[in-house]
Amino acid sequence: MWTGVFPAVTTKFTADDRLDHAEMERCFNLQMEAGCDGIIVCGSLGEGPMLSPDEKIEVLKTAQKVAGKKPVLLTVNEAGTREAASIAKRASREGANGLMVVPSPIYHTNAEETVAALRAVAQAGDLPVMIYSNRLAYRVDVSVDQMEELASDERFVAIKESSDDIRRSTEIINRLGTRYDLFTGVDNLAFEALSVGAIGWVAGLVTAFPRETVAIYQLMKQGRREEALGIYRWFRPLLDLDVSTYLVQNIKLAEVFAINTNDRVRMPRQPLSGDRRKSVEKIVKDALAVRPTLPQF
């Protein structure tokens, strides 16, 4: 069973646009030292669609080096099912602990196509799969009906619920009980999702603020709701940066100030500039100025 905080880590690049494995290793270690429970690489925040298959496997290996016995999942977000199945097989050969699978972000599949594509990837990789349902970003809703249809395949073990509708978490639990490990995938709905039964958090701002993210999760797990809520209220302006077309640039800029790294991205993305950069800088600096003292848990 997967539970806890799984960072959707950023991918670090050198000034000449190569993978910066040394910096990724440093940043991933910060996540592990803070008490995160796993790592997910090459997702939306990890700029997976901008990476070659070889680069994805290289990032996977770097994360495995850091994570030790904790699970490392590779995100499968290829446009075509053939390519998705291929990277799933490679991930399996390289010892990935599981896959987080996104229906094609290019072609908006219907219900039948979505189920068939997910099954094909699961069969190819033969690894535990976290289904990533994000109808806003990818315009494909892996519905509760489809989750129920896929439940007969034991390789589907978890859901990253990112519909942006907090009611969906309860609908999944009411229909399917504990069949799936339910993770929230929307940073600024995390407290709400954990309150209604989610047992994990695929987090974004955790890459800049790992200890605060872990504190919220652990306090909620211990039933210390008011303490968790106090941290969450401080965190909310930062968490809102995750729910944006510019989430990659936003979070990488937050990392600049919080963990002293760079905000290089892969084109066509470019680092934030102008008024947008000033706005995000203010949000991050204002939060850092009143960073809460974390309780013991």
Side-chain angles (χ1 to χ4, degrees), residues 5-11 28 31 38-46 75 100 160 201-207 242 251 255:
V5 176
F6 281 44
V9 291
T10 55
T11 301
F28 297 172
Q31 305 299 304
I39 296 178
I40 300 177
V41 298
C42 305
S44 304
L45 182 55
T75 306
M100 184 171 75
K160 179 184 176 184
W201 180 359
V202 178
L205 266 298
V206 67
T207 65
D242 179 59
I251 293 174
E255 289 178 326

Side-chain angles (χ1 to χ4, degrees), residues 273-294:
S273 61
D275 290 341
R276 190 180 299 278
R277 188 178 185 92
K278 291 178 183 177
S279 175
V280 174
E281 282 189 8
K282 184 177 187 306
I283 290 169
V284 177
K285 289 179 178 179
D286 286 352
L288 287 170
V290 292
R291 198 168 189 171
T293 300
L294 300 179

Side-chain angles (χ1 to χ4, degrees), residues 61-127:
K61 290 180 178 179
T62 296
Q64 289 171 323
K65 179 180 178 181
V66 172
K69 295 182 179 180
K70 294 182 178 180
V72 179
L73 280 61
L74 177 72
T75 306
V76 176
N77 47 16
E78 277 63 27
T81 302
R82 178 185 62 178
E83 291 74 20
S86 176
I87 195 70
K89 288 179 181 177
R90 290 189 65 181
S92 180
R93 289 197 299 268
E94 295 297 339
N97 300 104
L99 307 169
M100 184 171 75
V101 182
V102 182
S104 173
I106 302 299
Y107 175 70
H108 306 144
T109 52
N110 63 30
E112 181 181 359
E113 291 168 331
T114 300
V115 168
L118 288 168
R119 281 180 169 156
V121 175
Q123 183 176 8
D126 197 25
L127 289 170

Side-chain angles (χ1 to χ4, degrees), residues 3-286:
T3 63
V5 176
F6 281 44
V9 291
T10 55
T11 301
K12 291 300 177 185
F13 302 106
T14 63
D16 61 352
D17 197 36
R18 299 185 182 189
L19 295 178
D20 189 342
H21 290 285
E23 184 62 1
M24 280 189 279
E25 187 172 337
R26 184 185 76 85
C27 293
F28 297 172
N29 263 312
L30 294 176
Q31 305 299 304
M32 296 295 98
E33 291 168 1
C36 291
D37 300 283
I39 296 178
I40 300 177
V41 298
C42 305
S44 304
L45 182 55
E47 298 175 77
M50 312 304 176
L51 304 177
S52 71
D54 288 344
E55 286 178 319
K56 284 190 170 188
I57 298 301
E58 289 181 39
V59 176
L60 171 68
K61 290 180 178 179
T62 296
Q64 289 171 323
K65 179 180 178 181
V66 172
K69 295 182 179 180
K70 294 182 178 180
V72 179
L73 280 61
L74 177 72
T75 306
V76 176
N77 47 16
E78 277 63 27
T81 302
R82 178 185 62 178
E83 291 74 20
S86 176
I87 195 70
K89 288 179 181 177
R90 290 189 65 181
S92 180
R93 289 197 299 268
E94 295 297 339
N97 300 104
L99 307 169
M100 184 171 75
V101 182
V102 182
S104 173
I106 302 299
Y107 175 70
H108 306 144
T109 52
N110 63 30
E112 181 181 359
E113 291 168 331
T114 300
V115 168
L118 288 168
R119 281 180 169 156
V121 175
Q123 183 176 8
D126 197 25
L127 289 170
V129 171
M130 177 183 291
I131 300 168
Y132 183 9
S133 177
N134 188 334
R135 62 189 180 191
L136 295 183
Y138 302 117
R139 304 187 200 178
V140 173
D141 184 13
V142 184
S143 67
V144 181
D145 286 343
Q146 291 167 48
M147 294 175 195
E148 187 172 28
E149 187 174 354
L150 292 165
S152 60
D153 187 335
E154 63 183 14
R155 287 172 291 211
F156 294 105
V157 301
I159 304 292
K160 179 184 176 184
E161 210 303 284
S162 300
S163 69
D164 205 39
D165 182 352
I166 193 59
R167 293 170 294 189
R168 176 64 68 83
S169 294
T170 298
E171 290 165 4
I172 293 170
I173 293 170
N174 282 351
R175 178 84 68 87
L176 297 162
T178 58
R179 166 61 185 82
Y180 292 106
D181 299 336
L182 180 60
F183 281 65
T184 179
V186 181
D187 267 3
N188 63 5
L189 279 178
F191 180 87
E192 292 83 351
L194 293 169
S195 296
V196 298
I199 63 171
W201 180 359
V202 178
L205 266 298
V206 67
T207 65
F209 296 92
R211 297 192 182 278
E212 288 83 356
T213 307
V214 170
I216 290 170
Y217 176 82
Q218 289 294 339
L219 290 169
M220 289 295 287
K221 185 178 178 181
Q222 294 176 17
R224 297 161 63 181
R225 181 182 181 279
E226 291 304 315
E227 292 173 272
L229 183 57
I231 301 168
Y232 185 69
R233 286 173 173 161
W234 163 84
F235 213 174
R236 258 299 302 274
L238 292 162
L239 298 177
D240 290 346
L241 298 175
D242 179 59
V243 187
S244 167
T245 303
Y246 297 95
L247 82 159
V248 176
Q249 295 98 317
N250 288 346
I251 293 174
K252 281 194 167 181
L253 184 55
E255 289 178 326
V256 168
F257 296 103
I259 62 170
N260 193 33
T261 187
N262 64 75
D263 64 340
R264 299 184 188 113
V265 289
R266 179 157 282 180
M267 291 182 69
R269 286 188 178 91
Q270 295 186 9
L272 298 180
S273 61
D275 290 341
R276 190 180 299 278
R277 188 178 185 92
K278 291 178 183 177
S279 175
V280 174
E281 282 189 8
K282 184 177 187 306
I283 290 169
V284 177
K285 289 179 178 179
D286 286 352

